[in-house]
Amino acid sequence: MKKIAVMISGGGTDLQSIIDAVEEGKINGKISLVISNKKDAYGLERARKHNICAIFDNEESSIIDRLKKEEIDLIVLAGFLKILSPNFIRAFENKIINIHPSLIPSFCGKGYYGLKVHQSAIDYGVKVSGATVHFVDENADTGAIISQEIVEVFPEDTAETLQKRVLEVEHRILPMVVSKFCDDKVRIEGRKVLIDN
């Protein structure tokens, strides 16, 4: 059974989707640790309600030490609004995944988070947006793509209404990817990620 750490900065709805999938037996893994770089993040409360160790830590070196000590197999960035250092990435190469609320490589990179992503998609006039789960490399949102799902963008959409529909997709594909990873069904070949059935 794989040991999972989830890193958050806010409310933790993506975290909740993983907690639910673990409790429903859909993921062959255990959330060993939830870490937030914001002391008042509601996601910490969500974790504690499910008896998951939840800590506030803003020091990268101590987070790395803790993850190594806990022998974490997979790190999930679920609304974690801080760019990790190359040192952090190298310490856990191909073990860190992130969820992003657009179809990468569109509307991503430094500064693209929250409603700004959805407003940018609407302003550009795209017909579809969506969510992407990808491996994390040393740059913002440039790692190999694991899974994507499309969401239609309607003429009357606001950033808030689009965000709501994209979140539904996030809550579906993130637990699916975590499940596949825990079953050793995710393989990287160059920039291509293959998911076995």
Side-chain angles (χ1 to χ4, degrees), residues 113-190:
Y113 60 87
L115 289 173
K116 180 181 176 180
V117 178
H118 306 293
Q119 192 60 55
S120 298
I122 290 166
D123 291 347
Y124 200 87
V126 296
K127 304 301 181 194
V128 292
S129 188
T132 303
V133 181
H134 64 95
F135 279 107
V136 176
D137 65 9
E138 294 183 13
N139 297 300
D141 300 327
T142 58
I145 291 167
I146 307 168
S147 181
Q148 291 182 308
E149 193 173 317
I150 286 170
V151 171
E152 194 174 347
V153 180
F154 302 119
E156 65 276 13
D157 263 328
T158 63
E160 288 80 8
T161 59
L162 182 56
Q163 181 185 50
K164 193 162 178 266
R165 291 202 311 285
V166 170
L167 263 177
E168 288 171 13
V169 166
E170 289 182 36
H171 297 164
R172 194 159 55 240
I173 67 172
L174 184 58
M176 179 276 290
V177 169
V178 171
S179 172
K180 293 288 189 184
F181 188 98
C182 289
D183 288 338
D184 296 317
K185 290 185 173 176
V186 177
R187 292 181 289 127
I188 308 178
E189 292 182 5

Side-chain angles (χ1 to χ4, degrees), residues 36-111:
S36 174
N37 64 327
K38 300 268 171 64
K39 196 176 275 187
D40 56 354
Y42 181 65
L44 291 172
E45 196 58 38
R46 284 183 193 272
R48 291 179 188 128
K49 281 181 183 168
H50 294 267
N51 299 314
I52 298 165
C53 178
I55 60 168
F56 158 71
D57 196 336
N58 215 0
E59 283 298 318
E60 204 171 83
S61 57
S62 71
I63 294 173
I64 291 172
D65 291 344
R66 182 75 184 249
L67 293 169
K68 285 185 170 172
K69 188 175 149 224
E70 299 274 349
E71 297 178 335
I72 296 297
D73 299 295
L74 174 65
I75 300 161
V76 182
L77 307 184
F80 184 69
L81 305 179
K82 193 175 179 184
I83 304 290
L84 297 172
S85 73
N87 183 38
F88 193 110
I89 308 297
R90 281 194 292 270
F92 304 100
E93 193 173 2
N94 296 335
K95 288 185 173 182
I96 311 171
I97 64 172
N98 180 50
I99 181 92
H100 183 76
S102 77
L103 297 174
I104 289 175
S106 296
F107 314 114
C108 65
K110 203 170 179 192

